[in-house]
Amino acid sequence: MAKTHSKKVAPKASLRAKTVSSKSNKSAKVNKIVKTDKSAKSNKATKKRKFKFKLPKISFKRKDRQVKLHKSFRRSYREDYRRELEIPGIFTHAAETFKIIFKNWRLFIPFLILIVATNAVIVGIMSESTYHDFQDALDTTSKSIAGGEVGNVGKAVLLLISTITTGGLKINMSETETVFVVIIFLVVWLVTIYLLRHILAGNKVKLRDGIYNACSPFISTLLIALLVFFECFPIFIFVVVQSAAIQTGFLDTPFYALVFFIFAALMFAISGYLLSSSLIALVAVSAPGLYPMKALDAASDLMASRRIKFILRIVSLIIIIAIMWGTIMVPIIVFDLWLKTFEWAQAIPIVPVALITMTVFSEIYLTAYLYLYYRWMLDYEEE
């Protein structure tokens, strides 16, 4: 029994000895480190101090960003910025936009009539006398150029081209009326997005709810709209330079015309690159509780490596709206030209009312088109 007891006690004593030795070793190491630190400090104090200027480390990465592409001077490889986007095609996109508007015509037709009436009361529509001035100028031009042989369809197309820039509104607008035009457009934008958000969520929504509740992010939307305006400056510069080049005959030389073409392509490329994310931010900022900078960050993440696809969608949208205007407005102008042969129909403003109606419908269609694209991108990101 004594032997067994001695065997059990011996390991305990060895363990205690090991712990004591380890503690002594640690204390010795700590003393060495302290001594070396003190000696190093004393050596540094004896040496002359030299001023070293160090550049601060600049980080181009944001913690809240999910996609960090082209944010530093490092090379971005194609495998890093290649991103897939599986959404419906261009024709399906256009058809779905028409479908969702006409399927909910009980919401959008009263809204269309309300916005047309608001524009007519606050801003004013193009007067019938102004439209007759366009028509008289076109008649004199066609007589001098084509000998007066331009048909009604050709005259209708030319009238549409000359009056489409007015949008059915009066020409000489004051600054206050211009501000009201911008405000009405933003209201159309926000109300359309509010209605579509609830429609796609499967909720029953009324037009009254959209008008009363949709304008809460108006200030945020206005700030993004101002940014969009500033990003259009390269296009404005192109317009000014083009007018100066035409007046001075700069484009008569082929080499200078090629230089001007390269300049125009560069200006449009800059604006297209900047606007591609800002337009999506204009849609994203309509969400409740989202600030403008957060909307811009989210839009830049969504549009990273997808800008060319979005620009192609915008080009197709412009073509679709042009076709829509041609197929609807040309028959209306032809009918108006025939109707104005009667004296009792001279004062009926058919074309100005049709122009402003088409302008408001184009605003609704534009908003729905961009919102559907934004929702498809979000759904693809969630997958």
Side-chain angles (χ1 to χ4, degrees), residues 249-263:
F250 180 79
L251 301 178
D252 296 337
T253 306
F255 176 74
Y256 292 153
L258 177 62
V259 172
F260 182 78
F261 175 77
I262 296 172
F263 168 76

Side-chain angles (χ1 to χ4, degrees), residues 11-29:
K12 289 183 180 179
S14 63
L15 287 172
R16 288 176 183 175
K18 287 181 181 179
T19 52
V20 171
S21 62
S22 63
K23 286 181 180 180
S24 62
N25 292 328
K26 287 181 181 179
S27 61
K29 289 180 181 179

Side-chain angles (χ1 to χ4, degrees), residues 73 77 105 119 134 181 231 238 247 280 284 324 348 351 379:
F73 293 102
Y77 293 94
W105 61 271
N119 278 306
F134 279 111
V181 169
E231 289 174 350
F238 161 74
Q247 292 177 0
I280 295 298
M324 181 175 63
I348 300 176
V351 175
D379 294 339

Side-chain angles (χ1 to χ4, degrees), residues 115-140:
I115 298 300
V116 169
T118 304
N119 278 306
V121 172
I122 297 178
V123 181
I125 63 174
M126 183 176 63
S127 62
E128 189 65 19
S129 61
T130 305
Y131 177 68
H132 282 300
D133 293 338
F134 279 111
Q135 189 173 353
D136 293 337
L138 180 62
D139 290 336
T140 55

Side-chain angles (χ1 to χ4, degrees), residues 235-248:
I235 298 177
F236 299 154
I237 293 171
F238 161 74
V239 172
V240 174
V241 173
Q242 183 187 18
S243 62
I246 292 173
Q247 292 177 0
T248 57

Side-chain angles (χ1 to χ4, degrees), residues 318-329:
I318 295 171
I319 295 172
I320 291 165
I321 292 177
I323 294 172
M324 181 175 63
W325 274 74
T327 54
I328 294 175
M329 286 303 302

